[in-house]
Amino acid sequence: MISADVLIVGAGLSGLCLARELKRDCLLLEKSRGVGGRIATRRIDDLGFDHGAPNLPDDSTIRNLFQEARLHEALRTSSAGVYHPESMTQLPKSLAKGLTIRKSTKVEALRRTASGWELQTDGPEMFLGRDVVLTAPLPQAIELLDRSRISVPDQLRRVTYTKAVMALVITQEVVAPELKCSPRLHSVLSMRERRLHPRGFVVRASDALSEELFDRPEAQALEVLLSEFLACFSTPPALAFQELKKWRYVLPKTHLSVPYTEVSESLWLTGDSFHFGDARGSVVGAKLLAKKLS
Ligand SMILES: Cc1cc2nc3c(=O)[nH]c(=O)nc-3n(C[C@H](O)[C@H](O)[C@H](O)COP(=O)(O)OP(=O)(O)OC[C@H]3O[C@@H](n4cnc5c(N)ncnc54)[C@H](O)[C@@H]3O)c2cc1C
């Protein structure tokens, strides 16, 4: 059994901010191979695609966070918010320095014991924490709570999220789309402008089209997205590579006004389902919870 005073499930912005500010012994458990959660960069042949949040809100919470991560000098601004031109994952990677994180460790169930919470994972180890914090989007955290037979107030079940279906595309030649693209697309983001890939694009379907394509076979969804992408050009370019990516949880459609909640004794929920209902909620909620638990 591996013990920590506080176990934090998830090493996205929320979990990382919480761990950095907690003045107690803590351990992060993250199911993915890397940190960052919905701030994600896919590498193909050493070149990158920012296919998670491509921007974050341009306000003092996020600017201060980049400063804390010593990345403020690299920060760029667009009409959609602020970003790091060499990939958004620079932010979580930098925030993760010095923290104790168990990657590739998915928490499968929680059980209350006399001394705290016992966490069962998809690996051989069990973890014990006096306090436990779940930082995943509420619907995902609730799946875990339901599986663990921990009761959840109805109000928490009302939080739902938008989805995103996107294509990562590499053209054969360097090209620039002659915007305007169809309103069926949310955005066509050039990875060349991000200094990530000279011929790379992230093509994201609108919320409505994402909803429509989400459960379709991947080849079909990709075909729809590619035809919308090619329609952005008067002379459609030849493609060298295409891949489909899906996010079940992008941003909450509605969120809870509090920064965190204690769903059972010493079992806490926070993340972007709370407070501002976007990445700022993850950061502020985590910082306030760190104060409460320290
Ligand atoms: C395409 C896209 C566009 C976006 N655009 C914007 C935007 O413009 N503005 C904005 O503010 N926000 C945007 N967001 C949302 C933003 O990325 C999130 O608000 C923020 O990153 C949330 O951080 P978090 O730590 O709260 O959650 P997450 O990043 O989801 O982190 C939760 C972590 O928990 C891990 N986890 C989940 N379950 C388990 C388990 N059982 N065991 C172990 N680990 C687990 C996950 O792997 C993940 O790493 C966007 C997101 C996406 C996907």
Side-chain angles (χ1 to χ4, degrees):
M1 183 83 75
I2 297 167
S3 303
D5 216 13
V6 184
L7 289 173
I8 301 171
V9 181
L13 275 191
S14 174
L16 295 171
C17 289
L18 176 61
R20 286 168 64 86
E21 305 238 339
L22 257 182
K23 291 180 180 58
R24 286 167 71 187
D25 155 56
C26 67
L27 170 64
L28 286 136
L29 303 175
E30 168 55 55
K31 69 177 178 181
S32 306
R33 280 179 296 149
V35 299
R38 277 170 281 157
I39 295 182
T41 306
R42 161 98 161 93
R43 295 266 158 205
I44 298 170
D45 296 337
D46 243 17
L47 296 166
F49 290 82
D50 263 344
H51 71 94
N55 309 282
L56 292 175
D58 184 1
D59 83 339
S60 57
T61 303
I62 300 298
R63 284 186 172 269
N64 289 344
L65 192 65
F66 272 92
Q67 177 118 28
E68 221 178 88
R70 298 175 193 277
L71 294 172
H72 52 289
E73 283 175 10
L75 199 66
R76 298 283 177 279
T77 312
S78 77
S79 56
V82 294
Y83 64 96
H84 192 295
E86 280 150 32
S87 90
M88 288 300 280
T89 38
Q90 300 293 322
L91 179 64
K93 277 186 190 160
S94 177
L95 294 172
K97 282 183 191 149
L99 300 177
T100 314
I101 306 176
R102 284 289 187 116
K103 296 176 195 156
S104 305
T105 302
K106 182 176 183 192
V107 176
E108 304 269 24
L110 303 103
R111 194 173 68 86
R112 181 88 190 137
T113 68
S115 50
W117 288 93
E118 204 176 80
L119 270 51
Q120 186 194 322
T121 67
D122 56 355
E125 287 148 335
M126 297 284 277
F127 294 83
L128 184 70
R130 208 181 293 269
D131 283 283
V132 170
V133 183
L134 308 183
T135 66
L138 258 184
Q140 211 176 16
I142 288 173
E143 270 178 40
L144 178 58
L145 296 172
D146 284 345
R147 227 179 300 133
S148 310
R149 299 178 193 282
I150 295 165
S151 77
V152 175
D154 282 347
Q155 191 199 4
L156 303 191
R157 294 187 187 274
R158 288 189 205 117
V159 174
T160 56
Y161 273 70
T162 55
K163 297 184 173 79
V165 175
M166 39 191 36
L168 312 187
V169 177
I170 303 175
T171 53
Q172 279 185 8
E173 308 292 336
V174 173
V175 288
E178 295 139 34
L179 303 171
K180 275 181 91 115
C181 298
S182 135
R184 277 160 61 85
L185 293 184
H186 172 283
S187 50
V188 174
L189 199 66
S190 159
M191 292 299 108
R192 178 181 172 77
E193 281 160 24
R194 295 267 163 135
R195 290 191 247 142
L196 279 170
H197 196 305
R199 294 174 288 112
F201 292 90
V202 175
V203 182
R204 176 172 161 194
S206 66
D207 288 356
L209 184 59
S210 293
E211 200 64 54
E212 191 186 316
L213 296 180
F214 200 84
D215 293 320
R216 290 239 202 117
E218 294 211 345
Q220 241 183 55
L222 193 56
E223 196 183 318
V224 173
L225 273 180
L226 292 180
S227 89
E228 294 290 349
F229 171 65
L230 294 174
C232 301
F233 300 83
S234 47
T235 312
L239 303 184
F241 174 88
Q242 59 268 331
E243 182 178 286
L244 194 76
K245 282 274 170 199
K246 297 200 275 191
W247 290 99
R248 187 173 290 280
Y249 306 108
V250 175
L251 279 166
K253 292 181 195 167
T254 56
H255 62 276
L256 300 162
S257 55
V258 293
Y260 53 78
T261 191
E262 189 176 17
V263 71
S264 178
E265 193 192 340
S266 306
L267 177 57
W268 306 84
L269 305 176
T270 191
D272 70 350
S273 307
F274 295 85
H275 217 33
F276 293 102
D278 60 20
R280 293 168 303 167
S282 301
V283 175
V284 176
K287 291 191 173 197
L288 291 172
L289 183 55
K291 268 201 194 128
K292 166 96 182 162
L293 295 180
S294 289

